[in-house]
C-alpha cells in the first residue's frame, strides 16, 4: 500500500467520524495553542523588560546601600552627598556619576493635581541615563549648587498638569513649595513597573531640603565601555567598603539585571510551557483513547482488510497515520489559534506577547510526536488482530 | 446480466493476464508489483515437489488439522483433512453444523494457519510463509466471499470492490477501472456509487463477489454465499459463480447447507467431525 493511499484512507476515516475527530483534536488544539500563547507571553515579558533595561542607557552601574537581590528590600540608606563626592573621586570622571533621592509627593498646577515620583538628582543624569528632552533644559550644576526650585517634568506629569499648554517657565507646586518648570522629557515608558514618565526631577539639594533628609537613595555610575563596567564596579565597591568597614554595598550592573531577569523570566516561560505541555499530553491521551475505541469498533473492518490482503504493516500504518493526522491537524489549528490569541492579547491588553518560531515549530513537532507516541499502541493492537476472529466480531 | 468472457477485468496491464478459461492456467507464485520486497514464495524448485505432471494444484492438503484451545479445553475443529483441488474445479463442501467447514475454508483462504499437516496453496507451502506472505496469497491467489457480505458500510460499491487492489499497490485510476469492470461483470454497472446500505442483500453479495474477483484470483472461496439470501437472489449469486467458473476458469469452492446449491457443483466434499467423510468425483 502506498503512502498516499494510506493518507487518503486515514482522512476518509476521520471524515466519516467528523464530530469525534473534531472533539479529539480539540484537546490537542487547546494544548498547542496554550503552548504558543504562554510562550509568547513569557517571551514578550522578557523582551519588554530587557528592552526597558537597555533603554535606561548603556553601561550603567547602580550603587545602593545594603544588599539587593530580587525580593530583598534595600536597607536604610547611610549614603549622603559626601559619599557621592567620594565615589566621584574613585571613578575619576565626575561627570559620569549621578545621584538619586526619591520621594512621592503631590504636584499641583492650579486645580490640577497629580501624585508623582520626585527624584532629586543633578546635572550629570543625562550623561548616564538615556533621557531625551522634548523642550527646555536639563538640571544644571548651578541649580544643584544654589538649591534652586526648578523642575524637569516627565511627559505624563506634564500632560496631566498642563494639558496642551507649554509648561516651560510656568509654576508648579510640589509638596506645597513652588517650583519653576525648566524642562520637559520625552516619553520613555516604564522600567520594572516604574513609570518614568511620571517622574519629576529636581536638584538633589532642593530635594533633600524638601523631604528633610540628608541621605540619598542611590548613586549611578556610567562606565565608558562594556569592558570598563566590571573593573569600575569593583573599584567603587572596594572604595565604599574601605570607607565604611563592615558595611555592605551593592553595585548592580545592567548586565547582571539582564542576566537575573532573563533567567527568572526564562524559567517562568519554561514553567508556563510545561504547564501547557501537560495539557498537550492530556490531549494525546485523548487521542490514544479514541484510537483504541476506534480499533475496537472497526474490528470487522480490520479483519476484512486483512482478509483482502492487508499486511499487519498496512493496518498499523493506517491507524498510526490516523492518530498522527488527528494530532497534527489539531496542532496546526492550535498554532493558528495560539498565534491569533497572542496577537489579540498583544493588541488588546498591556501584556506583551512575542510569538517565537521555535515555540511554533516545537508545538507542531510535539503534536506530531504525540500522535506517533499515543497512536502506536492502538495501531499495534489493530495490526495484531487475527483476521478470522476479527471478521467474526460484532 | 452476464459474466462476459475474460471476467478478469479487462485492463490487462497487471495480473497474470493469461488467456482465461484454461484450467492449465499457471500463474507464477505471487510477486508484489512494487518490486517484491518481502516474501516471494515460490514452489521449492526441483523435483522434490510432489506435483502432478499437468500442473500445480490450487490446493493440496495433507493431514490438515486445526485445533483451538479454549481455557485449557482443546477443540479439534479439523482432524486430518487431505484433499486436492485443481484449478478450475467447482467444489461444494457440505456437512453438519460445527463439522469444520468454515475452519477448512479459513485455512484454504490463508486466513488462518493449520496446527498440523501441510497445505500448499497454488504450489506454495503455507508453513514457509510469514504473515506478510500469507497476506499476499490472500490478496493474489484467493478471493473470499462471506455469508454476511462484509462490505465497508460507508464506502461506495466501486471503492469496496477496489479495496484488494489497494493492498497490491495498484494506482487509483487503474483500480477504479478494474473495479468498474468487475461490477459490470456481476451486473451492477448501475450501482457503482451506491453504498451497501442502499443495496439489497443480493446486490451486496454481488458486490462482494466482484471484490473477490477483481484481483483476478485462481480460486474463489465462498462460505455459505447464499446463506443470507432468499431463493431468487441466491440463485442469481450461484449463477454468477457458475459462469465465473465455466467462462473464466476460476476455481470455486463453496460451503453450503442447501442441496440445490450443492447440486450446482461438479464435486462434493462431505465434512463430518473435522474429517472428510465422502468426496464425490475427485479427479484422481
Ligand atoms: N475460534 C474458535 N475457537 C474455538 N472453537 C472454534 C473456533 N472456531 C471454530 N471453533 C469450533 O470448531 C468447530 C468447527 O467450526 P466451524 O465454524 O468450522 O463449523 P462449520 O462446519 O462451519 O459450522 P456451520 O455450518 O455452523 O457454519 C466447532 O465445534 C466450533 O465450535
Ligand atoms: Mg461455517
Amino acid at each position: 500500500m502506498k503512502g498516499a493511499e494510506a493518507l487518503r484512507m486515514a482522512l476518509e476515516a476521520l471524515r466519516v467520524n467528523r464530530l469525534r475527530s473534531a472533539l479529539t483534536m480539540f484537546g490537542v488544539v487547546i494544548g498547542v495553542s496554550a503552548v504558543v500563547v504562554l510562550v509568547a507571553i513569557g517571551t514578550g515579558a522578557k523582551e519588554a523588560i530587557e528592552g526597558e533595561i537597555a533603554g535606561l542607557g548603556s553601561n550603567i552601574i547602580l550603587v545602593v546601600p545594603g544588599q539587593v537581590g530580587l525580593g530583598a528590600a534595600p536597607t536604610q540608606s547611610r549614603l549622603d552627598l559626601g559619599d557621592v563626592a567620594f565615589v566621584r573621586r574613585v571613578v575619576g570622571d565626575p561627570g559620569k556619576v549621578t545621584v538619586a533621592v526619591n520621594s512621592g509627593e503631590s504636584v499641583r498646577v492650579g486645580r490640577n493635581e497629580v501624585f508623582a515620583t520626585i527624584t532629586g538628582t543633578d546635572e550629570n543624569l543625562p550623561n548616564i541615563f538615556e533621557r531625551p528632552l522634548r523642550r527646555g533644559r536639563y538640571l544644571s550644576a548651578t541649580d544643584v549648587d544654589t538649591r534652586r526650585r526648578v523642575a524637569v517634568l516627565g511627559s505624563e506629569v506634564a500632560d496631566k498638569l498642563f494639558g496642551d499648554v507649554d509648561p516651560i517657565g510656568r509654576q508648579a507646586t510640589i509638596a506645597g513649595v513652588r517650583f519653576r518648570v525648566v524642562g520637559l522629557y520625552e516619553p520613555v515608558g516604564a522600567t520594572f513597573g516604574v513609570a518614568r514618565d511620571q517622574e519629576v526631577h529636581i536638584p538633589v539639594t532642593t530635594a533633600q531640603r524638601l523631604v528633610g533628609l540628608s541621605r540619598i537613595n542611590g548613586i549611578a555610575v556610567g562606565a565608558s565601555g562594556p569592558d570598563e563596567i566590571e573593573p569600575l564596579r569593583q573599584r567603587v565597591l572596594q572604595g565604599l567598603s574601605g570607607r565604611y568597614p563592615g558595611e555592605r554595598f551593592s553595585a548592580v550592573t545592567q548586565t547582571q539585571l539582564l542576566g537575573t531577569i532573563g533567567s527568572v523570566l526564562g524559567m517562568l516561560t519554561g514553567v508556563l510551557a510545561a504547564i501547557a505541555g501537560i495539557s498537550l499530553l492530556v490531549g494525546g491521551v485523548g487521542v490514544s483513547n479514541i484510537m483504541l475505541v476506534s480499533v475496537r469498533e472497526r474490528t470487522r473492518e480490520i479483519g476484512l482488510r486483512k482478509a483482502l490482503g492487508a499486511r499487519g504493516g498496512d493496518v498499523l500504518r493506517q491507524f498510526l497515520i490516523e492518530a498522527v493526522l488527528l494530532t497534527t491537524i489539531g496542532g496546526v489549528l492550535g498554532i493558528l489559534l495560539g498565534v491569533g490569541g497572542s496577537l489579540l492579547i498583544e493588541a488588546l491588553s498591556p501584556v506583551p506577547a512575542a510569538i517565537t518560531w521555535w515555540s511554533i515549530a516545537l508545538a507542531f513537532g510535539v503534536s506530531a510526536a504525540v500522535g506517533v507516541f499515543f497512536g502506536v499502541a492502538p495501531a499495534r493492537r489493530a495490526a495484531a488482530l487475527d483476521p478470522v476472529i476479527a471478521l467474526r466480531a460484532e | 446480466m452476464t459474466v462476459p468472457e475474460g471476467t478478469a477485468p479487462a485492463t490487462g496491464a497487471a495480473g497474470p493476464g493469461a488467456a482465461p478459461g484454461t484450467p492449465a492456467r499457471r500463474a507464477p507464485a505471487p510477486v508484489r508489483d512494487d518490486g517484491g520486497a518481502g516474501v516471494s514464495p515460490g514452489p521449492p524448485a526441483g523435483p522434490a515437489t510432489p506435483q502432478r505432471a499437468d500442473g500445480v494444484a490450487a490446493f493440496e492438503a495433507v493431514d490438515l488439522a486445526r485445533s483451538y484451545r479454549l481455557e485449557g479445553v482443546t477443540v479439534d475443529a479439523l482432524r486430518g483433512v487431505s484433499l486436492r483441488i485443481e484449478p478450475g474445479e467447482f467444489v461444494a463442501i457440505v456437512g453438519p453444523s460445527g463439522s469444520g467447514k468454515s475452519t477448512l475454508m479459513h485455512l484454504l483462504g490463508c486466513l488462518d494457519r493449520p496446527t498440523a499437516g501441510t497445505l500448499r496453496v497454488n504450489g506454495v507451502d503455507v508453513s514457509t510463509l510469514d504473515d506478510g506472505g500469507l497476506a499476499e496469497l490472500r490478496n493474489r491467489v484467493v478471493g473470499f466471499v462471506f455469508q454476511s457480505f462484509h462490505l465497508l458500510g460507508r464506502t461506495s460499491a466501486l471503492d469496496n470492490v477496489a479495496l484488494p487492489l489497494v493492498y497490491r499497490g495498484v494506482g487509483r485510476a487503474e483500480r477504479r477501472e478494474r473495479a468498474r469492470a468487475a461490477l459490470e461483470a456481476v451486473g451492477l454497472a448501475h450501482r457503482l456509487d451506491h453504498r451497501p446500505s442502499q443495496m439489497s442483500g443480493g446486490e451486496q453479495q454481488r458486490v462482494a463477489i466482484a471484490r473477490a474477483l477483481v484481483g483476478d484470483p485462481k480460486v474463489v472461496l465462498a462460505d455459505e454465499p447464499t446463506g443470507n439470501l432468499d431463493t431468487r437472489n441466491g440463485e442469481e449469486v450461484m449463477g454468477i459463480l457458475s459462469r465465473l467458473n465455466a467462462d473464466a476458469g476460476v476455481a470455486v469452492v463453496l460451503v453450503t447447507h442447501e442441496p440445490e446449491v450443492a447440486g450446482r457443483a461438479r464435486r462434493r466434499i462431505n465434512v463430518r467431525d473435522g474429517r472428510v467423510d465422502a468426496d464425490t468425483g475427485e479427479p484422481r
Side-chain angles (χ1 to χ4, degrees):
Chain A
M1 185 171 55
K2 291 170 185 161
E5 209 54 58
L7 192 68
R8 201 201 312 268
M9 257 182 214
L11 277 173
E12 174 65 18
L14 297 188
R15 201 184 56 78
V16 162
N17 270 314
R18 244 164 278 150
L19 181 62
R20 179 199 287 183
S21 305
L23 289 175
T24 310
M25 272 178 208
F26 196 59
V28 178
V29 172
I30 295 294
V32 167
S33 57
V35 168
V36 172
V37 168
L38 292 180
V39 169
I41 289 176
T43 312
K46 188 172 165 200
E47 280 178 4
I49 291 183
E50 285 174 353
E52 285 170 10
I53 294 174
L56 279 175
S58 48
N59 312 323
I60 299 171
I61 305 167
L62 298 171
V63 183
V64 290
Q67 206 163 5
V68 270
L70 285 154
T75 50
Q76 189 67 40
S77 177
R78 65 118 55 248
L79 294 175
D80 57 23
L81 286 177
D83 299 312
V84 178
F86 171 76
V87 169
R88 285 208 162 100
R89 285 197 300 280
V90 170
V91 170
D93 182 354
K96 290 294 228 176
V97 176
T98 187
V99 59
V101 171
N102 295 321
S103 173
E105 305 291 345
S106 85
V107 184
R108 212 162 37 76
V109 172
R111 291 176 167 220
N112 296 340
E113 181 166 5
V114 295
F115 195 77
T117 308
I118 310 299
T119 299
T121 182
D122 63 14
E123 72 280 7
N124 297 324
L125 176 110
N127 301 343
I128 297 154
F129 291 99
E130 198 56 39
R131 204 61 190 264
L133 269 184
R134 181 186 285 173
R135 307 209 3 90
R137 63 170 179 86
Y138 290 108
L139 298 175
S140 70
T142 320
D143 292 337
V144 177
D145 292 344
T146 61
R147 205 177 280 151
R148 279 198 186 126
R149 294 195 293 274
V150 291
V152 182
L153 303 185
S155 59
E156 240 178 271
V157 176
D159 281 351
K160 282 182 186 152
L161 291 178
F162 293 98
D164 293 336
V165 179
D166 182 359
I168 305 298
R170 293 184 179 267
Q171 302 282 327
T173 308
I174 303 174
V177 179
R178 288 161 78 97
F179 280 71
R180 189 162 52 84
V181 177
V182 295
L184 170 63
Y185 288 123
E186 289 279 5
V188 286
T191 306
F192 305 134
V194 176
R196 293 199 287 149
D197 295 329
Q198 289 172 18
E199 285 177 354
V200 173
H201 289 180
I202 60 176
V204 60
T205 45
T206 318
Q208 283 182 325
R209 168 162 297 184
L210 191 73
V211 298
L213 275 178
S214 60
R215 299 291 159 85
I216 57 163
N217 291 73
I219 301 170
V221 180
S224 50
D227 297 341
E228 275 300 303
I229 296 174
E230 197 48 34
L232 195 59
R233 191 177 86 89
Q234 295 297 345
R235 268 205 339 262
V236 171
L237 274 183
Q238 270 165 24
L240 283 173
S241 303
R243 191 171 157 93
Y244 299 107
E247 294 205 22
R248 304 203 61 144
F249 297 92
S250 301
V252 191
T253 66
Q254 274 168 303
T255 329
Q256 284 175 319
L257 281 176
L258 281 175
T260 313
I261 287 174
S263 66
V264 167
L265 286 175
M267 219 161 70
L268 186 74
T269 307
V271 169
L272 290 178
I275 291 170
I278 289 172
S279 70
L280 187 54
L281 205 71
V282 173
V285 173
V287 169
S288 194
N289 193 13
I290 285 301
M291 290 308 295
L292 282 172
V293 170
S294 174
V295 167
R296 176 150 305 180
E297 268 183 9
R298 287 153 68 191
T299 301
R300 289 220 304 176
E301 175 196 329
I302 295 162
L304 174 72
R305 287 179 184 276
K306 288 191 132 185
L308 297 181
R311 293 148 179 264
D314 292 327
V315 174
L316 183 97
R317 210 169 346 151
Q318 181 188 345
F319 280 86
L320 203 55
I321 288 178
E322 258 183 65
V324 172
L325 268 182
L326 272 176
T327 59
T328 47
I329 294 175
V332 169
L333 293 178
I335 285 170
L336 293 179
L337 192 68
V339 169
S342 303
L343 293 176
L344 218 63
I345 288 172
E346 171 82 7
L348 300 183
S349 79
V351 179
I355 294 157
T356 49
W357 288 112
W358 67 261
S359 76
I360 290 177
L362 186 78
F364 185 78
V366 167
S367 56
V370 160
V372 173
F373 186 78
F374 288 102
V376 157
R380 287 176 75 129
R381 177 172 290 194
L385 281 174
D386 179 319
V388 173
I389 294 172
L391 276 171
R392 211 179 280 148
E394 257 329 298
Chain B
M1 178 200 60
T2 54
V3 177
E5 327 117 270
T7 304
T11 54
T22 38
R25 181 169 66 151
R26 174 199 293 236
V31 172
R32 277 175 85 90
D33 288 350
D34 60 15
V39 230
S40 47
T49 335
Q51 279 183 5
R52 285 197 169 187
D54 56 63
V56 179
F59 298 109
E60 190 180 0
V62 180
D63 278 336
L64 210 55
R66 176 67 165 100
S67 49
Y68 298 99
R69 292 189 70 85
L70 277 181
E71 290 144 15
V73 185
T74 306
V75 180
D76 294 311
L78 284 185
R79 311 158 182 259
V81 168
S82 299
L83 53 78
R84 187 184 161 95
I85 295 172
E86 300 298 333
E89 277 200 77
F90 196 134
V91 183
I93 296 178
V94 295
S97 186
S99 55
K101 306 181 296 294
S102 294
T103 306
L104 178 59
M105 292 293 270
H106 292 149
L107 290 180
L108 296 181
C110 302
L111 288 169
D112 197 7
R113 288 173 184 276
T115 40
T118 55
L119 172 65
R120 288 174 195 284
V121 176
N122 203 32
V124 182
D125 182 348
V126 296
S127 67
T128 64
L129 299 179
D130 63 4
D131 288 349
L134 275 191
E136 204 168 298
L137 277 188
R138 292 199 288 270
N139 187 247
R140 291 178 175 268
V141 178
V142 299
F144 225 105
V145 177
F146 306 90
Q147 177 175 356
S148 50
F149 322 141
H150 282 313
L151 299 174
L152 294 183
R154 316 224 196 195
T155 307
S156 69
L158 196 70
D159 287 335
N160 261 297
V161 171
L163 197 53
L165 300 179
V166 167
Y167 296 109
R168 217 184 263 197
V170 176
R172 187 170 154 83
E174 185 187 338
R175 276 201 320 261
R176 294 179 75 85
E177 184 48 44
R178 286 172 73 168
R180 205 177 47 72
L183 279 166
E184 271 169 19
V186 298
L188 288 178
H190 59 302
R191 291 278 186 274
L192 301 184
D193 295 322
H194 284 229
R195 294 183 177 182
S197 59
Q198 299 162 332
M199 288 185 280
S200 74
E203 285 173 329
Q204 289 185 53
Q205 193 61 304
R206 276 145 66 193
V207 171
I209 294 173
R211 181 181 63 195
L213 57 85
V214 73
D216 197 14
K218 304 228 112 13
V219 199
V220 167
L221 298 172
D223 194 348
E224 304 191 40
T226 61
N228 282 7
L229 302 178
D230 60 22
T231 317
R232 196 178 57 78
N233 277 310
E235 271 172 11
E236 191 155 19
V237 161
M238 283 312 296
I240 291 171
L241 288 176
S242 299
R243 276 192 298 275
L244 182 64
N245 175 255
D247 300 346
V250 177
V252 173
V253 180
L254 61 85
V255 170
T256 183
H257 285 291
E258 300 160 59
E260 321 84 79
V261 172
R264 292 246 196 183
R266 287 192 292 275
R267 176 180 171 193
R268 185 190 306 208
I269 297 175
N270 266 56
V271 178
R272 182 177 292 272
D273 286 338
R275 289 199 179 83
V276 174
D277 193 42
D279 190 344
T280 66
E282 188 179 10
R284 214 178 263 265

